[in-house]
Amino acid sequence: GSYCAAGSASAAGGPCPLGHYCLGGTAVAAPCAAPAGYYCPPGSSETIGVQVPAGYYSTDGMENKAPCTAAPGLFCPAGSSSPAGVTCPVGQYCQGGSAVP
């Protein structure tokens, strides 16, 4: 999750930037290859990123996760790739937005 950019003043390097992953010991932060519903937060060391948590979505691994904007009766489960969300489970109440049941 760290890399040493050109001109780095520290042997420890710095955290890999958002939308990238770093395997360590490298001078290059590689673009994240995360599918929809995943993203590469700062400091990522996974090529496919991590799954977005419930209440958020991501359409592209190069972007940060964003709060769900689902209407009442809908929610965004973990791994969501759309801000619209999915139907609330039977027996649950979903107020919409980024709230989870």
Side-chain angles (χ1 to χ4, degrees):
S2 297
Y3 77 119
C4 291
S8 180
S10 169
C16 203
L18 172 70
H20 294 77
Y21 72 94
C22 302
L23 299 177
T26 182
V28 179
C32 184
Y38 287 71
Y39 78 115
C40 286
S44 289
S45 60
E46 298 292 328
T47 59
I48 62 163
V50 296
Q51 188 177 58
V52 297
Y56 293 87
Y57 76 98
S58 177
T59 58
D60 182 332
M62 296 294 292
E63 301 171 5
N64 198 0
K65 68 184 188 297
C68 181
T69 57
L74 304 171
F75 80 109
C76 288
S80 290
S81 59
S82 168
V86 297
T87 303
C88 193
V90 173
Q92 300 287 315
Y93 169 76
C94 297
Q95 66 184 23
S98 61
V100 295

